[in-house]
Amino acid sequence: MSSDSQQDSLAEKRWLNALAKGDPSALGALYDSEVFKTAMAKIEADDTVRQALGQPVARAAWPLPAGRIEIQNDRGEADIRWEVEGPKGRGKAHV
């Protein structure tokens, strides 16, 4: 496993552990996870999203994201839902 993959895996494991314990730092770990950062980069770069929501497009502060990230060895699955917003409105994201 590469150093970047190990860091991503650790961030995702921290998020899962913190959520299980009811720790508010879980959101920071989620936002630092590779799956979330990759999804947000794709959303921010999407012309259809930018036209509909305006620029800049960012994650909405509320409601909080919901879902799960499961990691085992080098493989994982994500099912996360959150809202994004821009000057023209809001939308829903799901990975």
Side-chain angles (χ1 to χ4, degrees):
M1 186 185 295
S2 73
S3 177
D4 287 343
S5 295
Q6 287 174 332
Q7 287 178 340
D8 295 340
S9 180
L10 288 174
E12 289 158 358
K13 286 178 184 175
R14 282 194 308 269
W15 178 66
L16 291 171
N17 289 334
L19 277 179
K21 295 175 184 175
D23 184 345
S25 69
L27 286 176
L30 168 66
Y31 297 145
D32 286 342
S33 71
E34 188 62 30
V35 68
F36 192 87
K37 290 189 285 187
T38 300
M40 280 303 301
K42 288 181 179 182
I43 290 167
E44 292 165 357
D46 188 280
D47 288 335
T48 304
V49 173
R50 292 190 306 196
Q51 287 177 358
L53 302 182
Q55 288 183 300
V57 175
R59 64 176 166 80
W62 193 260
L64 297 176
R68 65 180 176 77
I69 297 176
E70 293 180 16
I71 301 167
Q72 200 165 63
N73 299 321
D74 289 0
R75 304 191 66 120
E77 271 186 33
D79 180 15
I80 308 167
R81 291 175 173 82
W82 71 98
E83 292 195 15
V84 293
E85 63 186 356
K88 295 181 183 178
R90 294 172 71 101
K92 295 184 181 198
H94 179 208
V95 293

